[in-house]
């Protein structure tokens, strides 16, 4: 248990569906992240939020729409996805500092399958 | 961000020490070395990090060479539950950049 929870743990959706992934952290952190891990590939950063503001978008297609209503919650809204978007979606949080030492803690991930 | 090089896979007998090497020859002075591991289909788990000095916690020890161009993660008494992919990451900008890591297989 890392203090970062994700729901749902598994999701199957059609290409025309709209769904949302939820992440919640109980660590008092102010930075939250979305990562994508496709089969047999390294984790890829998608989005970064610092103090509720998006500070990084790693060229993610607009069919993925993040939302960060407060420092404890992060959502990833999904619409008109493609089968190649099937992957493990991971959320992480950290407490930003002045140096490069803010450790990220990851949630268990949501396994997404797009049919 | 500095890149890292790790062996693709390693084997270790249960109860023995597992020594996982990592090369990071282009590391800069203010970059830290982080280690994470990922057990199949779970989220990555933070293990340890360091800058210059050797570090130890309840999970592992991190040995960084004096020139900082390489490091070794040591699991002192490997168990079957330590079977995972281990990632060595040199921390630069905001986010972690994961490579392919080392797949450690611990067997009885």
């Amino acid at each position: 248990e890392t203090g970062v929870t994700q729901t749902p743990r598994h999701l199957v959706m059609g290409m025309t569906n709209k769904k949302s992934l939820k992440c919640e952290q109980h660590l008092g952190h102010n930075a939250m992240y979305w990562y994508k891990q496709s089969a047999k590939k390294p984790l890829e950063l998608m989005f970064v939020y610092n103090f509720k503001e998006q500070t990084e978008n790693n060229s993610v297609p607009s069919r993925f729409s993040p939302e960060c209503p407060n420092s404890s919650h992060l959502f990833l809204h999904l619409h008109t996805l493609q089968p190649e978007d099937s992957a493990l979606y991971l959320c992480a949080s950290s407490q930003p500092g002045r140096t490069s030492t803010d450790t990220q803690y990851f949630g268990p991930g949501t396994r997404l399958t797009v049919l | 961000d500095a890149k890292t090089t790790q062996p693709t896979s390693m084997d270790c007998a249960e109860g023995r020490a597992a020594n996982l090497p990592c090369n990071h020859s282009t590391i800069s002075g203010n970059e830290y070395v982080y280690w994470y591991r990922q057990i199949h289909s779970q989220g990555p788990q933070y293990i340890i990090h360091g800058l210059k000095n050797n570090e130890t916690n309840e999970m592992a020890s991190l040995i960084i060479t004096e020139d900082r161009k390489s490091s070794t993660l040591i699991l002192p008494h490997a168990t079957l539950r330590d079977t995972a992919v281990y990632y060595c990451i040199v921390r630069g900008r905001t986010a972690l950049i994961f490579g392919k890591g080392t797949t450690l297989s611990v067997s009885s």
Side-chain angles (χ1 to χ4, degrees):
Chain A
E1 177 60 46
T2 62
V4 181
T5 59
Q6 292 187 242
T7 54
R9 295 292 308 277
H10 301 272
L11 178 63
V12 179
M13 61 185 291
M15 289 189 285
T16 59
N17 292 158
K18 291 184 179 180
K19 296 288 184 182
S20 296
L21 309 184
K22 179 182 177 182
C23 175
E24 183 173 2
Q25 58 95 0
H26 308 274
L27 301 170
H29 292 165
N30 287 298
M32 297 188 77
Y33 311 78
W34 279 117
Y35 288 84
K36 173 185 177 181
Q37 187 174 31
S38 302
K40 298 184 179 181
K41 290 185 177 181
L43 278 78
E44 303 171 59
L45 177 68
M46 300 177 72
F47 301 102
V48 181
Y49 278 81
N50 278 283
F51 296 90
K52 304 188 297 179
E53 298 296 321
Q54 186 180 122
T55 55
E56 193 159 343
N57 176 337
N58 199 21
S59 302
V60 180
S62 60
R63 59 185 183 270
F64 295 92
S65 175
E67 178 189 4
C68 189
N70 55 61
S71 294
S72 299
H73 294 85
L74 185 65
F75 295 89
L76 188 63
H77 303 301
L78 316 171
H79 63 98
T80 60
L81 294 191
Q82 305 297 313
E84 57 265 29
D85 296 322
S86 298
L88 181 67
Y89 288 85
L90 291 154
C91 174
S93 74
S94 71
Q95 182 55 40
R98 294 184 179 180
T99 67
S100 300
T101 57
D102 57 305
T103 299
Q104 293 183 25
Y105 295 90
F106 286 81
T110 294
R111 173 68 62 187
L112 174 67
T113 302
V114 181
L115 301 177
Chain B
D1 295 333
K3 293 183 177 179
T4 62
T5 303
Q6 298 178 252
T8 301
S9 63
M10 294 183 64
D11 295 318
C12 181
E14 189 177 23
R16 303 297 295 269
N19 297 286
L20 291 88
C22 180
N23 288 319
H24 31 78
S25 58
T26 59
I27 191 171
S28 63
N30 61 350
E31 290 180 317
Y32 286 70
V33 180
Y34 275 79
W35 283 85
Y36 282 79
R37 72 180 182 183
Q38 187 174 25
I39 297 171
H40 182 63
S41 293
Q42 297 181 21
Q45 178 187 22
Y46 166 75
I47 302 174
I48 199 168
H49 75 279
L51 182 63
K52 296 181 181 179
N53 300 321
N54 298 336
E55 302 288 340
T56 296
N57 63 21
E58 65 278 5
M59 290 184 67
S61 294
L62 174 61
I63 308 298
I64 303 174
T65 58
E66 191 170 347
D67 63 7
R68 302 187 70 235
K69 293 184 177 182
S70 65
S71 60
T72 301
L73 179 74
I74 301 172
L75 306 179
H77 305 287
T79 70
L80 298 178
R81 289 179 295 179
D82 292 322
T83 293
V85 179
Y86 287 77
Y87 298 99
C88 170
I89 302 166
V90 173
R91 180 67 185 280
R93 296 173 58 240
T94 305
L96 300 166
I97 299 175
F98 286 80
K100 296 182 179 180
T102 297
T103 298
L104 175 67
S105 298
V106 181
S107 57
S108 56

